[in-house]
Amino acid sequence: MTSSSSRFLVTILLSMTTLRGDAKQFELPPLPYGYDALEPMISANTLTYHHDKHHAKYVNTMNSMIKGQSELESMETIEEILVHAHEQGNTGLFNNAAQSWNHEFYWNCMTPPSKSSSISEPPKNSQLSKMIQQSFGSYEEFVTQFTTAGNTAFGSGWAWLCYSIPQQKLIVTKTIGAGTPLTENSSSKAKVVIPILTMDVWEHAYYLDYQNARPTYTQTFLTKLVNWDFVGRNLKEAIEVGKDEL
Amino acid sequence: SAWSSLNMKAETGTTSRRNFGAAIAAGAAALVGAPDNAKAYDLPDLPYAFEALEPYIDTPTMKIHHDKHHATYVANINKATEGKDEVPILALQADAIEAGKPVRNNAGGHYNHAFFWQEMAPADEAAKMKPSAQLAELIDKSFGSMDEMKSQFEAAAAPGAVFGSGWVWVCVNQAGDELKIVGTPNQDNPLMKGVADEIMFPILGLDVWEHAYYLKYQNRRPEYVSNWWNVVNWDKISENCAYVVENHAGVSV
């Protein structure tokens, strides 16, 4: 990894709060907002189960799998652990580490919705807005691709908006289970893809509020709940890393 | 409609059911106006009311699971097989992976759910049932005891074992002399080539997709699984066992 890649990891992590305690165990980060902050789009009931049960379990299980393993305990970040687990074919550790990372990223991708009925979008003329236009042709096309990715991830999975370093543009991808684009950046190679936005489409993310109506959830997520400031900062960092890599 | 409830009560070996349904539909058309275009696959009615499996599986889950999730698989497999020769849904299982995702996901989804509804019964009825002598013998031979089978099944159904969406099955093996427990992802099942070590014939299966239990159990999948035994229709499981052992084929739905 180049030093700027390390800097990227640190920057992302400072805006996320998972920290190593003295016990070399990761802590479950709190939500960046109250449990009822995303109402009525996502209920407090959902967030309570999703964060306090699902996310907590992934972190606890990852911690139990790391405990006493000096190589893993010396890794600073969950990203390092999940990439290592992926390369080692350690599915159990990968699933729990990746889900720990994915969920923390997901919470930070959301922010309390505005009271107005208008659609929430990146600020006009922002770097992010322009990059979306360049990459997809129009904002509507981005919305279509991203929601389609979420709607068609069969079973449990995630939709992602990533910055592709080789293509120098944004791309939409989807992953299954605990899958994450981070595994495309093997620890021995340069970074190729940097996630800037994710949406959880495991049924537990939306079932209490939307039941089978996943498309309603994905549409609502993308038009009402996204923290475009966070996404914009992720893009800015990703472009910097990209410049260093090329 | 009245004829669809007749449809639903048909026995196993249901290749004829579709034709029966189609014939009735054609007759009914004269009375009620033009029916929908005859589709290859129908959403079967549940063999019981939506609330029949309470308190172990809640009414809203049964309603949404059947009327929305299963219905979507039926609609999608009809779309995916449009213009093709009509075959029973069982016949689509073996080569489902080779047939590509629309068939794999939706033929699997339709078969799995049709199979699932038939395996269950209201708890007071289920309580009076037990495995046939043949099934009990196979269980003891394969696992040691029913309790041991349930224990292994519950372990195979745990969130760490079937990670994400999937099913857990008790199957008769190819040789027809042993029961195996296997977990499968998404809507795959052991009848599909390439899913398990060999094609196997399910006699019992449990949906562990979150939609199967989330409204009542949320993250508590183990509780859903251990409660599920209360609604297993052991008469039907025993029938399934006899059928697959005798015919070396999967149960029709």
Side-chain angles (χ1 to χ4, degrees):
Chain A
M1 281 191 308
T2 66
S3 61
S4 58
S5 303
S6 309
R7 190 180 72 227
F8 166 77
L9 294 175
V10 169
T11 306
I12 286 291
L13 280 173
L14 286 176
S15 62
M16 309 198 320
T17 56
T18 304
L19 293 170
R20 286 277 203 188
D22 284 336
K24 297 182 179 154
Q25 299 267 277
F26 288 98
E27 290 164 10
L28 174 69
L31 291 176
Y33 28 71
Y35 287 90
D36 59 357
L38 305 183
E39 299 253 6
M41 289 84 190
I42 297 180
S43 64
N45 205 21
T46 291
L47 286 190
T48 304
Y49 283 109
H50 202 173
H51 176 267
D52 293 359
K53 302 291 183 187
H54 292 277
H55 185 182
K57 181 112 197 278
Y58 292 128
V59 173
N60 292 341
T61 307
M62 170 184 63
N63 280 335
S64 71
M65 291 174 165
I66 291 169
K67 201 171 166 63
Q69 316 272 321
S70 55
E71 190 188 3
L72 295 170
E73 285 181 328
S74 71
M75 291 179 182
E76 294 283 315
T77 67
I78 297 178
E79 179 174 352
E80 286 175 74
I81 291 177
L82 75 88
V83 170
H84 177 83
H86 171 73
E87 290 172 344
Q88 299 288 307
N90 185 341
T91 308
L93 178 58
F94 174 77
N95 283 344
N96 288 285
Q99 286 291 81
S100 297
W101 196 98
N102 293 346
H103 281 86
E104 183 166 8
F105 194 60
Y106 172 62
W107 307 134
N108 283 280
C109 286
M110 293 189 287
T111 195
S114 95
K115 302 279 183 259
S116 87
S117 57
S118 58
I119 284 172
S120 155
E121 284 185 26
K124 295 246 179 300
N125 298 316
S126 60
Q127 181 185 50
L128 175 58
S129 176
K130 289 180 191 164
M131 180 63 76
I132 287 175
Q133 289 280 342
Q134 273 167 246
S135 306
F136 298 100
S138 69
Y139 193 75
E140 289 68 33
E141 179 57 25
F142 156 63
V143 171
T144 299
Q145 285 195 27
F146 190 86
T147 53
T148 299
N151 295 338
T152 59
F154 191 69
S156 308
W158 300 77
W160 301 87
L161 179 64
C162 298
Y163 180 72
S164 161
I165 291 174
Q167 298 179 61
Q168 292 184 263
K169 66 173 195 172
L170 295 174
I171 55 173
V172 165
T173 60
K174 60 187 178 188
T175 58
I176 299 305
T180 159
L182 294 176
T183 51
E184 292 178 51
N185 310 321
S186 162
S187 55
S188 60
K189 295 190 303 204
K191 285 197 178 290
V192 294
V193 71
I194 296 177
I196 69 169
L197 167 66
T198 196
M199 174 175 65
D200 190 350
V201 291
W202 281 60
E203 288 174 325
H204 64 239
Y206 61 88
Y207 210 79
L208 296 180
D209 301 323
Y210 297 91
Q211 291 83 62
N212 62 298
R214 191 194 286 189
T216 309
Y217 158 70
T218 58
Q219 183 78 9
T220 301
F221 172 91
L222 195 57
T223 59
K224 290 290 183 186
L225 290 176
V226 174
N227 183 339
W228 296 112
D229 286 344
F230 179 68
V231 178
R233 276 182 278 132
N234 295 341
L235 174 62
K236 185 167 188 291
E237 278 296 318
I239 292 173
E240 288 302 311
V241 171
K243 285 180 186 158
D244 288 342
E245 296 283 357
L246 291 172
Chain B
S1 62
W3 63 263
S4 70
S5 63
L6 291 172
N7 227 9
M8 171 269 292
K9 292 282 197 273
E11 302 300 321
T12 52
T14 50
T15 311
S16 61
R17 170 161 74 86
R18 183 179 52 74
N19 297 330
F20 176 67
I24 293 290
L31 300 171
V32 300
D36 291 342
N37 288 337
K39 300 286 189 193
Y41 305 106
D42 300 311
L43 177 68
D45 287 341
L46 294 178
Y48 32 71
F50 293 118
E51 61 267 24
L53 306 184
E54 289 270 9
Y56 304 107
I57 304 183
D58 56 298
T59 308
T61 291
M62 290 303 292
K63 190 155 172 51
I64 296 165
H65 202 175
H66 175 267
D67 289 1
K68 304 288 183 188
H69 291 277
H70 187 180
T72 299
Y73 291 124
V74 173
N76 287 346
I77 191 56
N78 279 328
K79 206 159 50 170
T81 56
E82 215 171 311
K84 305 220 168 98
D85 289 342
E86 293 182 358
V87 298
I89 196 67
L90 173 63
L92 290 183
Q93 304 305 307
D95 296 319
I97 291 180
E98 199 183 309
K101 285 202 175 135
V103 171
R104 174 184 188 168
N105 292 342
N106 295 293
H110 175 31
Y111 180 85
N112 295 344
H113 287 84
F115 180 89
F116 186 52
W117 310 134
Q118 291 177 7
E119 303 175 75
M120 295 187 286
D124 55 355
E125 289 174 31
K128 299 177 198 156
M129 302 178 191
K130 59 182 184 165
S132 62
Q134 177 192 39
L135 176 55
E137 196 186 310
L138 266 174
I139 288 172
D140 289 350
K141 176 186 173 190
S142 310
F143 305 107
S145 68
M146 171 67 95
D147 280 348
E148 184 54 30
M149 182 186 85
K150 287 184 178 179
S151 176
Q152 288 187 29
F153 188 90
E154 292 182 21
V162 177
F163 184 75
S165 306
W167 291 72
V168 189
W169 310 91
V170 175
C171 305
V172 171
N173 63 350
Q174 268 293 317
D177 59 4
E178 203 177 341
L179 297 176
K180 303 275 195 191
I181 290 171
V182 62
T184 57
N186 292 342
Q187 295 298 344
D188 292 354
N189 64 52
L191 292 167
M192 298 178 180
K193 252 178 252 174
V195 166
D197 294 337
E198 55 175 22
I199 288 181
M200 292 190 284
F201 309 110
I203 65 169
L204 179 151
L206 177 61
D207 191 347
V208 292
W209 281 60
E210 286 172 330
H211 66 238
Y213 61 88
Y214 210 80
L215 295 181
K216 180 181 170 72
Y217 294 97
Q218 293 86 51
N219 60 300
R220 301 180 305 282
R221 190 198 286 183
E223 193 185 319
Y224 158 69
V225 176
S226 62
N227 273 354
W228 182 66
W229 300 115
N230 290 293
V231 294
V232 170
N233 181 336
W234 289 105
D235 288 350
K236 181 63 166 79
I237 307 303
S238 302
E239 271 176 45
N240 289 348
C241 182
Y243 183 85
V244 309
V245 168
E246 163 123 15
N247 294 283
H248 196 70
V251 167
S252 292
V253 297

